[in-house]
Amino acid sequence: MVRKSSGITLFILINFLFLIDELKKIYSRFIFYKKKKIIQNKKTNKKFINFNKYIFDENSKKNIVITSFLNIFEYLHFEYLVGVYLSNLQKKKVIALVEKKDSISKLYFEKLGINEIYYFEEPNLFIRYMNLVNSYLLLNKIKNIDEFLKFKYKSIPVGQIIYSHYARYSGVPTINKIIPNFFTLFSTFLSYYAVFGKIIKNLNIDTAVQSEIQFMPGAVFLSQALKHKVNVFSRIGKDKVSLRKINRLNDIYMNRFHYDKQIVKKLNLSSHKNKLVKLGKNIVKRRFYGEQNLNDEIDLEYFKAQRNRNVITHKKNNINIYKLFNWDNRKPIALVLANDLTDGIFERPKPLFKDNYVWLEQTLVEASKNTNFNWLIKPHPREIKNSVKLTTKSLMSKFDNFEHMKLLTQPLNSINLIKIIKVVFTSHGTGGYEYPIFGVASVNAAESIYTGLNIAQNPKNIFEYKKFIKNLHKNYKKLKFNRHNACLFSLLFTELGLIEFPSVKLKENLYNVYSNEYWNDLIKIYNEFEIKNNFDIKNDIFYKSLKYQLDKKKTHTIDIRYLEKYLKKY
């Protein structure tokens, strides 16, 4: 009787959340039609079809679809140009897929002269409600959060998709039980699952361009695309770019920077190895000195934060960490680098812990027991930008009474940190390969993009991980790792695997749909592209590199110049 009563209460609560979501959709439609009128009033018939000269303009049996799940001009720019490259190389027609209420993306593709624009939206209210009922019937059988994370719907890891989506948009990095929001999110998944399945089949899509793949509806489209044997090309980088080809459902959450490790192994055999090692080391050295940023993703808020922050550099640093925290200078220091708590939660195969927050929490618990080490904890820079509700700072407040554990609140430059720390802990972040370059051992708690190269320490299970921390003071001097591999991976991560691209530069303010600033910049980019490549896209370095990737069926676009010089047999 208790079980039945709680089930009825849950169903009522789910219906209430569904009603709230429907009211939000009504309001969203009202805003959409209001914006649509504004855009139509400002709309011009002028077309910017410069790069379109390289699009394959004949009918083809199969089509390339350019998706738009983020209606930001900076994202759309890359999606469009990747579509241009692929169309020219594969001799296939380009079409665009846009959410029906996304008037910005529609305007963008229209001004570019893309003739075939198709629209998607959730099904009608009756089908949406039936999906809610089906969601309840399916999820109500699941007993706990661990079982939920393993839950798959038609081979798709729905539990992880929902968990990741909720964490990112709620700001809650860890969830310990199945909550009502999961039911409404699963109903949304079911709605998009049916919609995208029909679209992919009806439009004869066999290639897709999609950069936003983590959250709904993008994650649902990716899932359906992979089930239908569609090759999905997902961009990484912004100033310099590579394309990650995703063609297996098992790789749905594989980190896009998960390069083929054979590249590093082959670089190790190169007669130019010493030169390449030095190049890789200097890249990270410049980053640690604050002279060069990672060329990762389009992120305006992070861009502003990085530009405005008052970093203590090697020239200004007079801080003695031991004196600052009144630490015993006979004890070594370990650095714990918090990973992004709400983004990319499952881009880590074979994790020891449920999510990044649980990893951080358990690491701190074990660190509190080892007083033979001083522990410095550094929050992830995106915690504020992502509106994370359970931050590294709030978690550290539970350890206020442990004097050997301190939060690094001042943005100390990384080049200073390598002078004072002995070991770095990161679940799977880039610090795990960067610090070993300078002789500092690193420890992972999940498979990372550099796993398999003998760069980081990888405990096999939670028991081994906790034991590692417990005995750290006894063993840290004995830890072995391959510094050369770390340098070569650095080179792959930031140079070989990212190629010059006709990119738009990230600015103080994002491009405005109502102004001509973007279109004027696009003309400049096109003119520079034409002159540089002698008015033929086949002379372009990215084009050549992408052609090699397609011809050799590689997962990533690698700079053809490095391939020809150092990796002829790859």
Side-chain angles (χ1 to χ4, degrees):
M1 177 64 83
V2 175
R3 171 86 177 174
K4 185 177 180 180
S5 175
S6 62
I8 293 172
T9 303
L10 174 62
F11 189 67
I12 292 172
L13 181 55
I14 292 168
N15 275 268
F16 175 73
L17 291 175
F18 179 80
L19 177 61
I20 296 297
D21 283 344
E22 290 302 315
L23 291 174
K24 287 179 180 178
K25 287 172 185 176
I26 293 172
Y27 177 73
S28 177
R29 288 191 193 101
F30 171 75
I31 297 297
F32 161 66
Y33 286 114
K34 193 174 180 180
K35 285 184 176 180
K36 185 178 180 182
K37 288 182 180 180
I38 296 172
I39 290 175
Q40 284 177 338
N41 291 335
K42 293 180 176 286
K43 189 174 175 181
T44 66
N45 293 322
K46 186 176 180 180
K47 304 286 185 182
F48 295 83
I49 57 174
N50 34 37
F51 278 101
N52 278 19
K53 69 178 263 190
Y54 294 118
I55 290 180
F56 183 73
D57 60 357
E58 300 176 22
N59 287 328
S60 53
K61 292 182 180 180
K62 296 293 183 179
N63 296 317
I64 298 170
V65 63
I66 303 173
T67 64
S68 171
F69 297 112
L70 287 175
N71 56 2
I72 300 171
F73 269 29
E74 282 78 356
Y75 266 84
L76 293 169
H77 174 88
F78 286 101
E79 307 293 72
Y80 162 65
L81 286 180
V82 169
V84 171
Y85 278 105
L86 288 170
S87 173
N88 190 282
L89 282 162
Q90 296 185 328
K91 306 305 177 192
K92 294 174 185 174
K93 186 173 65 174
V94 168
I95 61 176
L97 181 62
V98 174
E99 189 176 10
K100 192 170 184 179
K101 60 183 180 181
D102 182 1
S103 52
I104 293 176
S105 294
K106 179 177 182 290
L107 171 67
Y108 180 85
F109 289 121
E110 282 179 345
K111 287 175 82 73
L112 287 170
I114 301 296
N115 297 320
E116 294 188 42
I117 304 174
Y118 297 90
Y119 303 95
F120 70 89
E121 62 178 339
E122 286 190 82
N124 62 51
L125 179 61
F126 175 75
I127 294 176
R128 292 201 299 272
Y129 187 73
M130 291 307 299
N131 284 335
L132 183 74
V133 174
N134 289 332
S135 170
Y136 173 78
L137 294 174
L138 286 169
L139 295 189
N140 201 38
K141 299 174 184 178
I142 298 176
K143 299 174 183 177
N144 53 54
I145 194 67
D146 292 329
E147 191 176 324
F148 176 78
L149 288 174
K150 296 175 183 176
F151 172 63
K152 292 186 177 182
Y153 178 79
K154 297 186 178 180
S155 302
I156 298 170
V158 175
Q160 292 184 357
I161 289 174
I162 292 171
Y163 190 100
S164 178
H165 184 95
Y166 178 79
R168 178 64 183 87
Y169 288 99
S170 69
V172 179
T174 189
I175 303 101
N176 297 319
K177 61 182 180 180
I178 301 171
I179 57 177
N181 304 75
F182 288 175
F183 292 82
T184 56
L185 286 173
F186 184 34
S187 70
T188 300
F189 173 92
L190 292 172
S191 294
Y192 281 124
Y193 180 84
V195 168
F196 289 138
K198 291 177 182 177
I199 287 174
I200 291 169
K201 185 177 180 180
N202 293 340
L203 297 181
N204 295 318
I205 296 167
D206 80 338
T207 303
V209 181
Q210 181 185 355
S211 291
E212 178 47 67
I213 60 176
Q214 280 195 76
F215 312 115
M216 294 194 288
V220 190
F221 179 86
L222 175 65
S223 304
Q224 273 287 34
L226 297 177
K227 281 183 70 71
H228 284 80
K229 309 300 181 184
V230 173
N231 287 318
V232 179
F233 289 86
S234 191
R235 171 193 54 82
I236 51 180
K238 56 181 187 295
D239 300 322
K240 297 170 68 178
V241 168
S242 179
L243 299 182
R244 159 75 169 168
K245 184 177 76 171
I246 310 171
N247 58 2
R248 299 190 314 153
L249 194 56
N250 288 341
D251 291 340
I252 186 171
Y253 269 124
M254 179 70 74
N255 190 306
R256 287 177 293 173
F257 283 97
H258 207 283
Y259 291 101
D260 183 357
K261 302 302 183 301
Q262 288 302 315
I263 297 175
V264 172
K265 293 176 182 178
K266 287 182 180 296
L267 290 174
N268 251 311
L269 301 175
S270 170
S271 59
H272 302 278
K273 176 183 174 180
N274 292 336
K275 176 184 176 181
L276 297 173
V277 166
K278 187 176 180 180
L279 286 171
K281 181 177 180 178
N282 286 337
I283 289 168
V284 177
K285 193 173 181 179
R286 288 196 299 273
R287 282 199 56 240
F288 275 20
Y289 274 117
E291 297 169 4
Q292 179 178 324
N293 291 323
L294 263 181
N295 177 39
D296 49 7
E297 287 299 334
I298 298 168
D299 190 332
L300 180 66
E301 296 304 317
Y302 183 59
F303 169 79
K304 287 182 178 179
Q306 290 295 96
R307 188 203 61 196
N308 293 329
R309 69 179 187 154
N310 182 25
V311 178
I312 302 172
T313 67
H314 64 291
K315 296 176 181 177
K316 300 177 183 177
N317 179 36
N318 295 313
I319 292 179
N320 184 311
I321 293 293
Y322 284 99
K323 287 184 179 179
L324 180 66
F325 297 127
N326 196 27
W327 277 345
D328 184 347
N329 59 15
R330 292 171 296 181
K331 294 181 182 179
I333 299 174
L335 175 66
V336 179
L337 297 172
N339 285 80
D340 197 324
L341 297 179
T342 60
D343 207 340
I345 292 178
F346 297 108
E347 288 185 343
R348 47 188 186 104
K350 302 177 183 177
L352 301 185
F353 300 95
K354 181 179 69 178
D355 52 47
N356 294 337
Y357 185 89
V358 172
W359 161 76
L360 180 61
E361 182 181 47
Q362 291 302 306
T363 300
L364 297 183
V365 168
E366 297 308 311
S368 68
K369 301 173 186 177
N370 189 340
T371 57
N372 293 299
F373 247 84
N374 293 313
W375 296 84
L376 196 59
I377 292 80
K378 186 178 181 182
H380 194 278
R382 285 191 172 92
E383 288 182 20
I384 296 175
K385 174 256 177 186
N386 286 349
S387 301
V388 177
K389 291 183 170 62
L390 300 174
T391 62
T392 302
K393 184 177 180 180
S394 63
L395 180 57
M396 272 296 292
S397 65
K398 299 178 182 179
F399 301 90
D400 282 345
N401 295 328
F402 294 88
E403 292 300 321
H404 69 298
M405 299 173 65
K406 296 296 179 181
L407 186 71
L408 183 61
T409 56
Q410 207 161 4
L412 187 67
N413 197 297
S414 298
I415 202 67
N416 304 120
L417 290 176
I418 62 173
K419 299 173 184 178
I420 59 173
I421 59 175
K422 302 301 179 185
V423 186
V424 170
F425 285 79
T426 171
S427 171
H428 56 286
T430 56
Y433 84 82
E434 292 169 332
Y435 283 85
I437 288 174
F438 301 99
V440 180
S442 67
V443 186
N444 285 166
E447 186 176 316
S448 66
I449 55 178
Y450 42 88
T451 294
L453 296 174
N454 193 26
I455 294 173
Q457 315 298 311
N458 291 98
K460 295 178 182 178
N461 51 54
I462 293 177
F463 173 80
E464 205 174 282
Y465 182 77
K466 291 182 177 181
K467 186 179 178 181
F468 187 98
I469 296 175
K470 179 181 178 180
N471 297 319
L472 184 62
H473 57 289
K474 299 177 183 177
N475 301 324
Y476 77 94
K477 291 182 179 179
K478 304 174 188 176
L479 299 177
K480 295 180 180 179
F481 49 93
N482 194 318
R483 294 176 68 172
H484 282 180
N485 276 0
C487 294
L488 294 174
F489 181 81
S490 165
L491 186 66
L492 170 61
F493 186 70
T494 53
E495 285 293 328
L496 276 71
L498 293 169
I499 305 106
E500 287 92 345
F501 193 85
S503 308
V504 287
K505 303 300 179 185
L506 191 58
K507 300 180 178 181
E508 175 70 20
N509 297 304
L510 292 175
Y511 286 109
N512 190 321
V513 67
Y514 308 121
S515 76
N516 286 322
E517 183 184 10
Y518 169 78
W519 304 107
N520 292 334
D521 284 352
L522 181 62
I523 292 171
K524 291 178 185 177
I525 291 168
Y526 172 74
N527 290 336
E528 290 171 0
F529 179 88
E530 289 288 85
I531 293 170
K532 180 180 179 180
N533 296 302
N534 198 24
F535 301 91
D536 188 349
I537 195 173
K538 293 180 181 179
N539 295 324
D540 178 62
I541 293 300
F542 187 84
Y543 182 95
K544 293 178 181 179
S545 302
L546 179 57
K547 185 178 187 304
Y548 186 92
Q549 178 186 7
L550 297 175
D551 291 346
K552 300 294 183 180
K553 298 180 180 179
K554 301 296 184 180
T555 58
H556 283 87
T557 325
I558 304 297
D559 193 321
I560 190 71
R561 293 167 296 187
Y562 281 95
L563 289 171
E564 291 173 347
K565 192 170 183 179
Y566 304 117
L567 292 162
K568 291 181 180 179
K569 294 183 180 180
Y570 176 68

